[in-house]
Amino acid sequence: MNKEIAAQLAEARLAEWRRIGHDEWQAMLDDKDVRLVVSDDGKRYTVVSYALDDGEGRIRMSVTVDDGGSSAFVPLVRNDIMSPDGTFIT
């Protein structure tokens, strides 16, 4: 798996989520979104994203990316955490 491309795909998905508010995130808790994406290198990647309750009103956005090979066992993972006021915790 090309980790640079996988990271770009994960960051692009997180950027989509960053544009919506906390209330919309709350509605997505425990939902999973699975996308098959063909990248510029011609490989097919699976991008799985979901939101989880991280406690104290925070929501964790998690994105995993793999190319269906051995990376499926250890995918690239990116996370963001949004606080109840809509700011992101780094």
Side-chain angles (χ1 to χ4, degrees):
M1 173 172 72
N2 183 318
K3 291 188 182 209
E4 185 175 313
I5 290 175
Q8 290 171 358
L9 293 171
E11 290 300 326
R13 182 64 179 127
L14 286 173
E16 288 178 38
W17 273 357
R18 288 182 193 116
R19 289 190 282 273
I20 66 174
H22 188 271
D23 291 339
E24 291 176 71
W25 276 66
Q26 197 78 25
M28 294 187 321
L29 283 175
D30 300 322
D31 283 345
K32 191 180 288 189
D33 180 71
V34 179
R35 298 177 183 188
L36 296 177
V37 178
V38 178
S39 69
D40 294 338
D41 67 355
K43 280 191 162 186
R44 187 171 69 171
Y45 291 85
T46 303
V47 180
V48 179
S49 49
Y50 49 94
L52 301 168
D53 184 339
D54 202 50
E56 298 180 23
R58 296 182 305 261
I59 299 171
R60 177 180 299 268
M61 304 173 279
S62 188
V63 178
T64 65
V65 180
D66 70 77
D67 68 358
S70 60
S71 66
F73 295 105
V74 184
L76 179 124
V77 179
R78 293 290 186 266
N79 293 289
D80 263 344
I81 300 173
M82 180 186 282
S83 62
D85 66 2
T87 59
F88 289 91
I89 300 168
T90 55

